[in-house]
């Protein structure tokens, strides 16, 4: 495959066929831009989230985690600027009637028909609104959060005091966000309900530039070394000063070479003191940081890293997809890094015989307590390997008749298809070295 890019159709049909991702409410005709993650999808998602948490929170001693509520006081979204600013400008093409985002026109032309005449742009609020409480007690209009970071900003003081952290430090959160997106194509790339992995790093204002550089590098390395993305498919795209969001001093997007072009997978921003200042003004509460050593009081500046779980999963799938030939037979293989793969190990008894199944089942149960694993007895061994290759399982363990005598099994590696013979007692340790 090497150079030819996989199509989005190939990825989405594999995702459906093998239980990664389905259209939401499919039996009712589906709901645009809403997706369900199946048995393998949820494992993939968990691996991605776990890898992010491991590198952004667990392996550092200057970042703590939290999980804030999706529904928040409506004033949060006034302070953040979302009630006033969070909208798309939409135009209708006078030729084909398509409704498009004004910033999605291609050189001023309709992306569907190439027409160049449009209606006046209309504002379209991207936040979903709902109501909290019953009519008896009085209803309150609330929004489904369009980003997770505001939960971090409003709890900044609480988290800082309970965890006794000192600036510079970060607060991280993974959670659902909702946006009433106008464009509803490109599979899970742009969903109306999605998960974000966000980290807000609070710093002394005069150190913000250094920390911005630090996090750029950290996040770039995460995509390469943790998610395992090929470097040629990854770029950093700096925002020009004139295109910066209302809250940002500097911003860079990590962009990926999708089948539909280079698109954002993560934003890294220097948000200055915009958010804490805005929440101080709106709430009337003092959110300044008190530096005990210098006895200084100030509003920290914030470096934000904001990534999407679904976009990372899509990137992992596209980047891992490959086709090759094994012994003259074509195979589809997902070359996920072992830590990313939804299934880490599969166990097969060579035949359906009870004595083989007994050993294989017991090994499977042992491995399953540690990693996501599959057990497969159906079809010949070649077919079983192909099924695991297609979902990216890095290791397959086969129990054969010799196992009954030598108490050893064959482990086959996905990418090279090489096989090694390992003692039954050593399988867990062998895998442990390769899966951590
Ligand atoms: P875009 O320009 O693609 O709409 P954005 O600049 O609005 O994205 P941010 O607000 O910076 O995105 O959100 C941070 C991250 O959250 C994005 O890089 C992306 O990974 C994820 N994200 C944002 N919107 C969506 C969405 N509708 N569906 C899936 N992921 C999303």
């Amino acid at each position: 495959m090497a150079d030819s890019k996989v199509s989005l159709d190939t990825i989405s049909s594999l995702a459906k066929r093998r239980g990664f991702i389905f259209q939401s409410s499919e039996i009712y005709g589906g709901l645009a831009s809403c997706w369900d993650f199946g048995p393998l999808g949820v494992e993939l998602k968990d691996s991605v989230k776990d890898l992010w948490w491991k590198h952004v929170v667990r392996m550092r001693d200057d970042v703590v985690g939290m999980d804030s509520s999706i529904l928040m006081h409506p004033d949060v979204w006034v302070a953040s600027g979302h009630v006033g600013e969070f909208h798309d400008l939409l135009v209708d093409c006078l030729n084909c009637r398509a409704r498009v985002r004004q910033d999605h026109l291609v050189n001023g032309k309709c992306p569907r028909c190439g027409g160049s005449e449009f209606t006046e742009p209309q504002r379209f609020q991207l936040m979903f609104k709902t109501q909290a409480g019953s009519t008896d007690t009085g209803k309150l209009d609330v929004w489904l959060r369009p980003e997770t970071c505001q939960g971090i900003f409003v709890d900044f003081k609480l988290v800082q005091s309970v965890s006794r952290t000192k600036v510079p430090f970060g607060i991280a959160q993974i959670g659902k966000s909702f946006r009433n997106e106008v464009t509803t194509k490109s599979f899970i790339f742009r969903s109306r309900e999605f998960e974000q992995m966000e980290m807000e790093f609070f710093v002394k204002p005069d150190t913000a530039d250094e920390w911005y550089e630090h996090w750029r590098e950290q996040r770039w390395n995460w995509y390469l070394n943790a998610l395992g993305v090929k470097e040629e498919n990854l770029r950093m795209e700096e925002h020009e000063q004139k295109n910066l969001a209302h809250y940002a001093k500097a911003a860079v997007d990590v962009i990926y070479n999708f089948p539909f072009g280079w698109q954002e997978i993560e934003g890294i921003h220097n948000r200055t003191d915009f958010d804490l200042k805005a929440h101080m003004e709106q709430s009337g509460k003092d959110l300044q940081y008190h530096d005990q050593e210098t006895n200084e009081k100030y509003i920290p500046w914030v470096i934000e890293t904001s990534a999407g779980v679904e976009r990372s999963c899509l990137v992992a799938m596209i980047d891992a997809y490959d086709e090759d030939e094994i012994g003259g037979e074509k195979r589809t293989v997902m070359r996920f890094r072992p830590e990313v793969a939804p299934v880490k190990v599969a166990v097969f008894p060579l035949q359906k015989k009870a004595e083989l199944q007994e050993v294989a089942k017991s090994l499977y149960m042992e491995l399953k307590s540690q990693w996501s694993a599959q057990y497969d007895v159906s079809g010949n061994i070649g077919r079983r390997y192909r099924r695991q290759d297609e979902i990216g399982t890095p290791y397959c363990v086969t129990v054969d008749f010799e196992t009954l005598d030598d108490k050893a099994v064959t482990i086959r590696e996905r990418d090279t298809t090489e096989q090694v013979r390992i003692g039954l007692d050593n399988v867990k340790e062998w895998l442990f070295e390769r899966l951590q």
Side-chain angles (χ1 to χ4, degrees):
M1 274 285 293
D3 294 335
S4 60
K5 242 201 279 173
V6 59
S7 75
L8 200 59
D9 277 352
T10 306
I11 293 293
S12 62
S13 63
L14 188 150
K16 182 174 179 191
R17 183 161 36 84
R18 299 308 311 271
F20 283 85
I21 301 155
F22 315 111
Q23 175 74 68
S24 157
S25 338
E26 200 191 56
I27 61 166
Y28 290 100
L31 181 66
S33 278
C34 295
W35 302 94
D36 295 344
F37 280 67
L40 292 183
V42 78
E43 293 289 350
L44 175 64
K45 236 184 179 190
D46 276 355
S47 299
V48 167
K49 290 193 275 187
D50 193 54
L51 272 172
W52 186 86
W53 199 261
K54 178 175 166 187
H55 287 263
V56 175
V57 184
R58 280 204 306 273
M59 282 169 61
R60 300 181 63 108
D61 62 3
D62 56 0
V63 179
V64 293
M66 69 170 290
D67 184 26
S68 71
S69 173
I70 287 173
L71 301 177
M72 300 175 77
H73 192 288
D75 281 359
V76 169
W77 307 110
V78 176
S80 68
H82 284 80
V83 171
E85 307 259 358
F86 197 54
H87 54 258
D88 279 340
L89 288 177
L90 297 188
V91 291
D92 288 340
C93 171
L94 293 179
N95 183 37
C96 73
R97 302 272 148 214
R99 179 158 289 180
V100 259
R101 271 169 60 171
Q102 196 178 34
D103 61 336
H104 283 183
L105 296 180
V106 183
N107 298 327
K109 297 219 157 60
C110 171
R112 190 155 107 187
C113 72
S116 52
E117 285 188 278
F118 304 95
T119 56
E120 284 298 310
Q122 308 256 355
R123 280 159 60 107
F124 179 77
Q125 171 56 254
L126 290 172
M127 283 198 294
F128 285 99
K129 197 182 217 171
T130 186
Q131 288 179 322
S134 68
T135 37
D136 298 331
T137 55
K139 285 188 210 157
L140 183 66
D141 283 341
V142 289
W143 306 94
L144 300 190
R145 68 177 178 203
E147 58 184 27
T148 58
C149 60
Q150 297 302 328
I152 297 178
F153 296 131
V154 300
D155 285 355
F156 156 74
K157 250 314 200 0
L158 278 171
V159 174
Q160 190 261 319
S161 59
V162 294
S163 50
R164 296 167 58 232
T165 40
K166 293 192 178 112
V167 167
F169 77 99
I171 305 176
Q173 151 153 255
I174 299 179
K176 287 265 184 179
S177 291
F178 303 82
R179 294 183 189 179
N180 198 1
E181 298 281 4
V182 181
T183 315
T184 57
K185 49 181 187 173
S186 311
F187 193 33
I188 57 170
F189 176 82
R190 192 175 297 287
S191 314
R192 292 201 165 119
E193 175 181 340
F194 56 98
E195 279 184 274
Q196 288 185 308
M197 307 182 279
E198 295 197 298
M199 192 282 316
E200 310 301 318
F201 202 77
F202 300 91
V203 303
K204 265 186 114 157
D206 61 1
T207 62
D209 291 345
E210 282 162 49
W211 283 108
Y212 177 68
E213 290 306 320
H214 170 84
W215 280 106
R216 272 177 71 127
E217 195 185 318
Q218 292 289 312
R219 299 304 303 140
W220 175 259
N221 290 338
W222 185 82
Y223 285 102
L224 288 185
N225 305 326
L227 200 61
V229 177
K230 295 182 199 85
E231 191 161 3
E232 70 259 27
N233 289 332
L234 211 56
R235 277 187 204 156
M236 287 281 203
E237 191 174 62
E238 206 83 40
H239 288 212
E240 282 178 45
Q241 212 64 26
K242 66 176 171 33
N243 297 332
L244 288 176
H246 59 282
Y247 51 76
K249 177 171 175 271
V252 64
D253 288 340
V254 183
I255 57 173
Y256 180 77
N257 189 11
F258 286 97
F260 43 89
W262 288 88
Q263 295 283 343
E264 169 180 342
I265 49 177
E266 167 155 356
I268 300 157
H269 306 122
N270 174 349
R271 295 181 73 116
T272 69
D273 57 1
F274 175 86
D275 306 274
L276 291 180
K277 212 177 194 169
H279 287 302
M280 271 178 73
E281 278 163 20
Q282 188 78 27
S283 69
K285 298 282 172 351
D286 184 3
L287 298 179
Q288 290 182 95
Y289 173 74
H290 183 198
D291 187 328
Q292 310 278 358
E293 276 157 34
T294 60
N295 210 19
E296 257 180 295
K297 256 186 144 187
Y298 61 89
I299 305 174
W301 278 31
V302 171
I303 307 302
E304 168 181 83
T305 69
S306 175
V309 175
E310 287 77 3
R311 285 193 194 174
S312 291
C313 289
L314 185 58
V315 163
M317 291 183 79
I318 292 170
D319 219 72
Y321 187 91
D322 199 6
E323 289 167 10
D324 64 3
E325 258 188 40
I326 301 292
E329 201 194 319
K330 274 209 160 128
R331 75 164 176 167
T332 297
V333 53
M334 294 290 251
R335 300 191 191 276
F336 290 124
R337 275 197 66 228
E339 276 180 288
V340 175
V343 176
K344 311 289 187 227
V345 57
V347 181
F348 311 146
L350 185 65
Q351 287 178 16
K352 272 193 180 145
K353 298 257 178 342
E355 59 271 38
L356 297 187
Q357 292 226 51
E358 197 186 317
V359 181
K361 258 280 159 64
S362 128
L363 176 65
Y364 166 64
M365 292 313 288
E366 188 193 340
L367 300 180
K368 198 172 153 61
S369 67
Q370 184 78 39
W371 299 287
S372 128
Q374 281 195 353
Y375 182 79
D376 191 358
V377 277
S378 60
N380 68 39
I381 205 82
R383 295 257 316 261
R384 285 183 257 171
Y385 283 147
R386 287 307 98 78
R387 276 201 288 270
Q388 295 300 328
D389 289 341
E390 204 189 24
I391 61 170
T393 307
Y395 306 108
C396 293
V397 185
T398 303
V399 170
D400 54 27
F401 289 102
E402 272 174 57
T403 309
L404 304 177
D405 297 326
D406 69 359
K407 304 277 175 279
V409 288
T410 301
I411 305 185
R412 180 253 198 193
E413 204 269 331
R414 175 197 68 203
D415 293 339
T416 57
T417 73
E418 267 165 25
Q419 306 196 353
V420 285
R421 194 87 184 154
I422 302 280
L424 260 176
D425 288 347
N426 296 328
V427 173
K428 211 166 172 181
E429 201 185 313
W430 190 94
L431 287 170
F432 210 81
E433 280 167 19
R434 287 155 180 87
L435 289 169
Q436 294 306 311

